[in-house]
Amino acid sequence: MQFPLFPLVAALIACPLAVTAQVAADPAVAPVVALDAGLIAIMKAGARAGSSARSAQIGPVVDRSFDIPLMTRLAVGPAWTGFAPADQAALVTAFRRLTVSTYARNFDGYSGQSFTIASKVEARAGDRLVRTTLNDPSDAPVAIAYRLRQGPDGWRIIDVFYRSISQLTTRRSDFASILQQGGAKALTAHLDAMAAKGAG
């Protein structure tokens, strides 16, 4: 599913987001615009909405912006091919739940924040890299970059770089010992436990 232009323009109007027309025309930018708009929305919903409500609000945005199945497979690494389909599906579900709950937990209040998308989309071995900045009036700006890959449903985010650190690299390192000790089921339980910390 490609991101059509009109919803993209609506997202630009709906949230504090600076992006040039030239950059917005690149189809790889649309998932990032949608995610930024969704994050601003749950920030404005705030703590009074509760983590569960913010999760319900940001969940569909995550589904449209990220390639969660591919991210899960990349984070697990070579062990993925040895898992039964049911275990793979359970891991994808748990990884999605963790992603959603992490955003709902971390973006829980609004005080004038905005996003700026860099004026150039970078090519990375067939992928695209979209750089953004989270601007906070009361704090230093935060650099967040997204690596996107084109698939059957269009461009989707496959990695997030927070202050230049790859989420997938970090996850893969964290998952390695759990997989070695308990396999797919242990990792699924670990992801579910992490996600539960953001629930409420």
Side-chain angles (χ1 to χ4, degrees), residues 163-186:
R163 292 193 169 99
S164 300
I165 299 174
S166 163
Q167 174 188 314
L168 280 184
T169 300
T170 301
R171 295 290 193 205
R172 191 165 178 172
S173 176
D174 292 343
F175 294 171
S177 61
I178 300 170
L179 288 168
Q180 186 174 13
Q181 295 172 14
K185 288 180 173 57

Side-chain angles (χ1 to χ4, degrees), residues 22 68 73 78 95 106 126 168 192:
Q22 182 178 359
I68 293 293
R73 178 168 64 84
F95 194 91
N106 292 335
L168 280 184
D192 284 340

